[in-house]
Amino acid sequence: MAEETNGTVLPGTNEPGAEPLVSEEEQLGSRMGIEITEYDPDRVVGIMPVSGNRQPYGLLHGGANAVLAEQLGSVAAALHAGQDRIAMGLELSCTHHRAVAEGKVTGVATPLHRGNSTATYEIVVTDERGKRTCSARLTCVLRERKTGS
C-alpha cells in the first residue's frame, strides 16, 4: 500500500490497486539503503548508510551522494507536482566537501524554485557529526502523468 501525504503518493510507492512499474528491490534507492524519514512539500529528509556505498578507498562514493540527493529532491518535486503529474530529474550537480568513512549520512532537500514546469531543490548532506559533506542542486521537469502510468 502506498504512503500518502495530503493525497499525494510518494515516488517509489504505488497507488492502491496500481501495478508497480518495478519492484521495490529493483529501485536504486532501496538497493542503496536510503530511508526517507520526513517528508512534506517544504522539506524531505533521508538517511543512507556508508557501508555498501563506498568507493575503492573505503570512503562514501560521490555517486552515492548523487543518488541520495536525486532521491530526496525527486520526492520533494513529486510532492509539489501532485498526483496528476510526475517529476523527472533534469539536472543534478554535486560538490563533495568532506570524506565520510563510516556511519550514516543525512540529506535534507529544500525548495529553491517551485514552478508549473520545473522545480529546483538544494540538498545538503551531512555526516553524523552534523558536518556538511556534500551540497547538491537538483532540477526536475514536471510532466502530466499519462493514463495508466
Side-chain angles (χ1 to χ4, degrees):
M1 181 129 130
E3 291 183 33
E4 295 189 29
T5 179
N6 298 330
T8 302
V9 176
L10 289 174
T13 63
N14 301 298
E15 296 178 51
E19 288 298 317
L21 296 176
V22 294
S23 67
E24 186 173 342
E25 297 82 31
E26 285 292 316
Q27 296 175 36
L28 184 56
S30 294
R31 287 180 171 241
M32 301 201 52
I34 295 172
E35 294 177 46
I36 295 176
T37 59
E38 178 184 331
Y39 59 89
D40 71 50
D42 295 320
R43 179 179 157 95
V44 174
V45 180
I47 57 174
M48 179 179 67
V50 172
S51 180
N53 295 315
R54 292 186 170 100
Q55 40 91 309
Y57 300 112
L59 304 173
L60 180 64
H61 196 291
N65 277 327
V67 171
L68 177 61
E70 184 142 355
Q71 181 83 13
L72 299 178
S74 293
V75 168
L79 290 170
H80 166 66
Q83 285 187 315
D84 295 333
R85 296 187 294 166
I86 60 171
M88 297 182 293
L90 184 63
E91 181 178 22
L92 175 67
S93 66
C94 299
T95 301
H96 308 289
H97 306 292
R98 170 186 310 268
V100 183
E102 60 187 10
K104 294 183 178 186
V105 292
T106 300
V108 179
T110 54
L112 296 174
H113 164 77
R114 292 186 287 198
N116 286 327
S117 60
T118 62
T120 302
Y121 294 84
E122 175 185 44
I123 302 92
V124 174
V125 180
T126 56
D127 63 16
E128 291 180 321
R129 297 176 299 155
K131 300 280 189 177
R132 185 183 291 231
T133 61
C134 177
S135 297
R137 181 176 163 143
L138 174 70
T139 298
C140 289
V141 63
L142 309 177
R143 299 250 171 105
E144 293 300 317
R145 182 183 296 270
K146 293 182 180 178
T147 306
S149 64

